[in-house]
Amino acid sequence: MEKIKYERPVIQKMNTGLMNKFGTRTEYEPVTHIESVPVKSLIKDYGSPLYVISEKQIRRNFQNATRIFKTRYPKVQFAWSYKTNYMKAVCNIFHQEGSWAEVVSGYEYEKALGNGVPGNKIIFNGPVKTDDELIKAIRNNSLIHIDNNDELFSLIRLSEEHNLKPRVAIRVNMDTGIYPKWDRFGFNFENGQAWNAITRIINTRNLEFVGLHCHIGTFMLAPSAYAIAATKLCELAWNIKEKYNKVIQYIDLGGGFPSSNTLKGAYLPGSDTVPSIDQFADAITDVILGYSFKQEDLPLLILETGRALIDDAGFLLGTVIASKRLSDGRRATVLDFGINNLFTSFWYDHKVSPAQAFGDYTEEMVLYGPLCMNIDIVRESITMPLLERGNHLVVHKIGAYNLTQWMQFITLRPNVVLIDVENNTHIIRKAETLEYIEALEEVPEHLKKFGV
Ligand SMILES: *Cc1c(COP(=O)(O)O)cnc(C)c1O
């Protein structure tokens, strides 16, 4: 048996009120494997820190969400939200499962085309679309979701100039009982903007009005907000049929379902408090079915779910660099990954697990990243077994937004590895190099030489 390590005892002030229902101890088992691949060998083969994505978990999430919606409503289509995670391999898993693409910029639009998504299965959202981007999207028969009147006027002008007939929908914002209101995107429902835009589009011969869209927020915890959103879109669809005898092809309720991460400051872990996809599906489909659209008029239900389908398929592995005491006696553990790799640590208390066997003793500690910046804190306070230099850690549920909002700051971004359904590993994005980062830089002639 290995000799048990001696740790110098410290006297600490008791903090009451910080416990959750698990008591002070939050970790019972080390997480030694991702799927069935050892963390140790992943780090040995691909370096530390390391992003790991589970293909199996993505497919499981997608198939589960599809089943939940399709058993409740006959016409359902998912569109993968590119900004949530636009690694090509990740997008293509969703496309293989049948997802369309949902993009919010010309850059993301090009990515979707590059991945091979047919133009007519790309939903072009977002507040900014240039004339060139619009023309391209119109020629590709993509679904253009209009954000504002200026964009609508551009579309009318471009469709006339080029003799094209764009397929358009409008984004609608509304009061869903969640505050602050998300009213900066799209046309407002309550003040009549949305209805005016609809009337204008329907009276423009060159535009084909195909759908109604909303995206009411992100990490939404209230299924009732989706019921309100569905009601308001159905209300518009119903009135369009009544007043203009026109049938809307689809209703797109956007994304925003939460993952089971724990928001900062939450008393209970997210896995206990976050509503299930079933509850959101019930809220949405009960409303649409309640409108008793004629069978042939029943709108296609589009969902642009991002976070909820990818978060728990992503892991960040890392290594302990040092362990030290702060001036007040608190334990601090310095890691080789920080907020540059884990943007979502700004709003989540990510679950962090040791990746090797540990002792019984735990202590409250701060987890710092490697950046020479005071804000680089992965967890402000976490009760963990004692960690020492060289120990490995696994951060859970990091698949959403971290691989798009990551920062190339102070350090280079590491490898991203996919574990496929047969547990083979593939690099899906190589670790950055100095040459790669500097490839776009130029140094003017007069600054090339200096003597110090
Ligand atoms: C970001 C975004 C989504 C995805 O949101 P999630 O919160 O990741 O589900 C869907 N639709 C639009 C328009 C978005 O901007």
Side-chain angles (χ1 to χ4, degrees):
M1 210 179 97
E2 236 180 298
K3 192 164 175 249
I4 295 169
K5 216 168 152 70
Y6 174 75
E7 276 279 337
R8 186 174 64 86
V10 285
I11 296 171
Q12 257 197 313
K13 181 177 89 187
M14 283 291 289
N15 283 313
T16 50
L18 282 177
M19 277 195 229
N20 62 29
K21 70 173 187 185
F22 303 111
T24 51
R25 182 129 187 233
T26 54
E27 290 294 333
Y28 291 90
E29 298 286 341
V31 173
T32 55
H33 291 68
I34 308 293
E35 298 298 350
S36 51
V37 186
V39 169
K40 235 189 191 117
S41 62
L42 284 164
I43 287 183
K44 186 164 155 281
D45 294 346
Y46 300 107
S48 175
L50 178 70
Y51 294 98
V52 178
I53 309 258
S54 160
E55 178 176 349
K56 210 185 283 172
Q57 189 60 33
I58 296 178
R59 292 192 189 272
R60 212 176 299 157
N61 290 346
F62 186 85
Q63 288 160 12
N64 184 45
T66 308
R67 176 187 52 75
I68 288 168
F69 273 93
K70 286 200 171 160
T71 47
R72 285 165 174 75
Y73 191 77
K75 295 164 74 180
V76 178
Q77 178 62 52
F78 279 83
W80 177 240
S81 157
Y82 265 47
K83 77 169 187 295
T84 309
N85 185 322
Y86 45 54
M87 290 288 118
K88 287 185 189 193
V90 168
C91 295
N92 286 1
I93 296 169
F94 284 104
H95 298 320
Q96 281 186 352
E97 291 287 339
S99 253
W100 294 358
E102 185 273 331
V103 303
V104 292
S105 71
Y107 161 65
E108 289 190 0
Y109 186 88
E110 292 296 332
K111 284 180 86 67
L113 279 184
N115 284 340
V117 182
N120 65 352
K121 303 206 164 145
I122 302 177
I123 296 172
F124 196 177
N125 277 320
V128 179
K129 307 176 189 83
T130 65
D131 279 6
D132 288 345
E133 288 163 359
L134 284 173
I135 292 171
K136 186 162 195 174
I138 301 168
R139 290 197 197 283
N140 285 328
N141 227 4
S142 301
L143 298 161
I144 300 170
H145 288 184
I146 305 171
D147 180 82
N148 55 65
N149 269 324
D150 288 313
E151 185 180 326
L152 173 53
F153 301 150
S154 293
L155 277 167
I156 293 173
R157 174 174 50 79
L158 292 170
S159 64
E160 278 165 10
E161 279 172 16
H162 298 265
N163 198 24
L164 295 164
K165 190 158 186 177
R167 292 159 79 210
V168 303
I170 56 163
R171 175 158 176 177
V172 180
N173 70 61
M174 58 190 70
D175 186 349
T176 57
I178 304 289
Y179 306 100
K181 271 194 277 190
W182 264 37
D183 57 2
R184 65 170 280 194
F185 303 113
F187 300 89
N188 186 252
F189 175 86
E190 286 82 16
N191 71 9
Q193 280 172 355
W195 186 253
N196 281 353
I198 289 167
T199 304
R200 184 170 276 133
I201 293 169
I202 286 179
N203 287 301
T204 305
R205 224 176 328 113
N206 279 351
L207 301 182
E208 187 190 352
F209 190 41
V210 289
L212 292 164
H213 172 233
C214 69
H215 172 64
I216 58 176
T218 191
F219 209 91
M220 303 289 290
L221 291 165
S224 60
Y226 285 85
I228 295 171
T231 304
K232 290 182 176 174
L233 292 192
C234 284
E235 201 63 40
L236 291 174
W238 193 261
N239 286 340
I240 292 166
K241 173 78 201 232
E242 288 270 297
K243 300 235 162 66
Y244 301 118
N245 196 30
K246 178 159 177 56
V247 176
I248 286 300
Q249 290 171 23
Y250 65 84
I251 283 179
D252 178 346
L253 278 166
F257 302 155
S259 68
S260 56
N261 257 310
T262 305
L263 288 174
K264 276 193 176 178
Y267 180 66
L268 290 171
S271 43
D272 289 359
T273 53
V274 163
S276 66
I277 295 191
D278 305 61
Q279 289 167 276
F280 291 99
D282 279 337
I284 292 167
T285 58
D286 283 354
V287 166
I288 305 178
L289 293 171
Y291 269 81
S292 308
F293 289 102
K294 276 200 240 124
Q295 198 182 2
E296 63 273 22
D297 294 354
L298 201 63
L300 173 70
L301 170 60
I302 297 180
L303 297 153
E304 304 168 345
T305 309
R307 189 193 303 278
L309 298 184
I310 186 75
D311 227 6
D312 65 355
F315 303 83
L316 178 58
L317 315 186
T319 305
V320 174
I321 299 295
S323 171
K324 62 205 268 188
R325 291 277 165 203
L326 301 178
S327 60
D328 63 1
R330 259 184 316 154
R331 191 177 178 99
T333 303
V334 185
L335 312 173
D336 65 354
F337 58 90
I339 54 162
N340 52 331
N341 309 107
L342 198 61
F343 192 81
T344 52
S345 55
F346 283 122
W347 57 82
Y348 291 147
D349 280 342
H350 277 287
K351 180 177 160 68
V352 182
S353 307
Q356 54 282 304
F358 48 81
D360 279 339
Y361 187 65
T362 61
E363 198 180 323
E364 189 189 331
M365 62 183 78
V366 198
L367 299 182
Y368 288 113
L371 305 181
C372 205
M373 290 270 291
N374 212 28
I375 55 161
D376 190 21
I377 300 172
V378 172
R379 286 289 304 266
E380 268 127 35
S381 161
I382 183 170
T383 303
M384 295 271 288
L386 306 182
L387 300 166
E388 56 185 58
R389 185 174 168 85
N391 281 175
H392 296 316
L393 292 174
V394 176
V395 187
H396 302 262
K397 298 175 192 166
I398 62 93
Y401 295 100
N402 283 302
L403 298 174
T404 46
Q405 291 187 298
W406 50 1
M407 277 185 281
Q408 190 278 302
F409 178 53
I410 302 188
T411 63
L412 298 169
R413 284 174 283 207
N415 280 318
V416 184
V417 164
L418 180 82
I419 301 178
D420 71 18
V421 292
E422 268 137 28
N423 293 315
N424 301 311
T425 55
H426 311 263
I427 290 191
I428 58 169
R429 190 178 192 272
K430 284 189 221 156
E432 289 171 345
T433 60
L434 181 65
E435 299 74 60
Y436 165 82
I437 296 298
E438 291 187 342
L440 297 174
E441 283 193 53
E442 308 269 0
V443 180
E445 215 38 57
H446 70 286
L447 295 178
K448 283 193 174 145
K449 284 212 182 79
F450 54 81
V452 280

